[in-house]
Amino acid sequence: MVVQGAQVVGRVALLLRLVGRKPEGTSLAGLVRDSGLTRPTVHRLLTSLAAEGLLEHDSASGKWVLGPEVFLLGSVAAARFPMEDIARPSLRRLAAETGESAFFSIRRGNETVCVLREEGSFPVRSFVLHEGVRFPLGVASAGTAIMAFLPPGEQDPLLDHWAEHAGEFAEGHPVDVVRKNLERTRLAGYSVNPGLILEGSWGMGAAVFDQQGRPAWALSLTGIEPRFRPDRQEFLGKLLLEEAHRMTARLQGA
C-alpha cells in the first residue's frame, strides 16, 4: 500500500508539472502522451485534482489548466523563498539596459523552471520563455548556464544518456552541440542559445550560485536573432555576469 500511495503521489506531481508547462493549458491527449500513463488513469487523476481545486477544465478549449488552489499554495510558499526580492531588481536593470525580456529561472532536479519575467522595451519579442516553463538542464540559455558549472559527476550521466534526458528537445540539441555550448559557457562565463528551441529566437544566460558555490539559479535574456549578433553578445554577457555576480554575493552574504 505504501508503494501504491507513493506511485499515486508521483503521478499527481507529474500531471501538475505537465499542466503547468503551458499557461494556455494542455489537452487530455497531450497529457496522456507526455506522461506515459493510460488515458483512464490520467482522466481519473485529473478529475480528482479538479475536485480539490488544483486543476480546472476549460470547457471552451477542452484543455486542463492550473486551478486556484495552486495559486494559494504558491503564495504561501513564496513567503518562504523570497527570491523575487533578490532577483527582481536585477531583472529590471537588465530589461531597462538592454530592451530585451529578462528572466529568472531555478534549478529543480535535472530541469530549470522559469519563475520570474521582466519585459523589455523592444517591441518585437520572443515567447519561448515564460513563467512556469520547464526545460531539461543543457537546454535553453538558463539550463546551459547552470549545467556548465556542475561537477563532472553530475554532468556526465546527463550527457551519456542525452536523448533520454532531453526528450523532445534532443533532436534540436544534438549532444555534440550541447557539449560545445557547455565548454563555451565555461570559458565565457555566460551561455548563448542560438535559436535551438525555435529558429530566430535567441537567448543568453548566466548562473547564480548558492552558499555552497553550486549553480542553483540563472538570469537570462531572450529576443530575436538580430538583437543577439556577435558584436552585441559581449555587451549583453557583461551585463548578465554583473547582475549574476551581484545576486550571488548577496545570497552568499558577501
Side-chain angles (χ1 to χ4, degrees):
M1 292 298 292
V2 175
V3 174
Q4 291 179 347
Q7 185 181 61
V8 171
V9 171
R11 289 175 172 179
V12 165
L14 173 62
L15 291 175
L16 287 171
R17 286 196 295 269
L18 290 174
V19 172
R21 284 179 174 177
K22 300 178 180 178
E24 69 274 16
T26 307
S27 66
L28 174 61
L31 291 171
V32 170
R33 180 188 66 246
D34 295 341
S35 69
L37 302 174
T38 65
R39 189 182 184 91
T41 296
V42 172
H43 186 268
R44 183 176 68 254
L45 292 174
L46 293 175
T47 302
S48 297
L49 288 167
E52 298 296 330
L54 292 166
L55 293 180
E56 289 186 343
H57 185 251
D58 187 333
S59 57
S61 66
K63 294 182 177 180
W64 290 87
V65 297
L66 295 177
E69 195 64 28
V70 172
F71 172 77
L72 296 174
L73 292 171
S75 298
V76 175
R80 294 188 59 243
F81 303 98
M83 289 304 298
E84 178 164 1
D85 294 339
I86 299 175
R88 184 65 70 180
S90 289
L91 294 181
R92 287 174 176 161
R93 283 190 291 269
L94 286 169
E97 292 185 52
T98 67
E100 314 303 336
S101 297
F103 301 87
F104 179 66
S105 300
I106 64 174
R107 180 188 177 188
R108 289 286 294 152
N110 290 330
E111 294 182 313
T112 56
V113 186
C114 177
V115 293
L116 296 174
R117 172 180 60 186
E118 189 75 26
E119 296 292 0
S121 59
F122 190 70
V124 182
R125 297 169 183 165
S126 166
F127 295 97
V128 170
L129 198 57
H130 54 77
E131 292 99 325
V133 70
R134 294 170 179 262
F135 290 115
L137 287 177
V139 172
S141 54
T144 301
I146 290 175
M147 185 173 174
F149 295 99
L150 291 176
E154 292 185 54
Q155 273 195 40
D156 292 344
L158 301 181
L159 293 169
D160 291 343
H161 302 87
W162 180 251
E164 179 182 352
H165 167 67
E168 64 181 292
F169 300 102
E171 182 177 354
H173 295 72
V175 68
D176 59 329
V177 172
V178 172
R179 289 181 186 275
K180 291 177 182 177
N181 282 347
L182 293 172
E183 181 61 26
R184 281 195 291 265
T185 300
R186 283 189 289 271
L187 292 173
Y190 56 82
S191 65
V192 178
N193 170 32
L196 296 179
I197 297 175
L198 179 66
E199 185 177 359
S201 179
W202 283 47
M204 295 178 62
V208 177
F209 298 82
D210 63 18
Q211 291 183 329
Q212 286 72 46
R214 294 173 53 81
W217 310 276
L219 294 167
S220 59
L221 295 166
T222 68
I224 58 174
E225 182 177 355
R227 303 279 290 176
F228 288 79
R229 296 295 189 191
D231 58 346
R232 195 167 184 251
Q233 286 179 20
E234 185 175 349
F235 165 71
L236 297 176
K238 180 175 180 292
L239 293 178
L240 280 165
L241 288 175
E242 287 175 353
E243 294 300 337
H245 291 161
R246 182 179 282 114
M247 286 189 62
T248 296
R250 182 174 177 185
L251 289 163
Q252 294 180 349

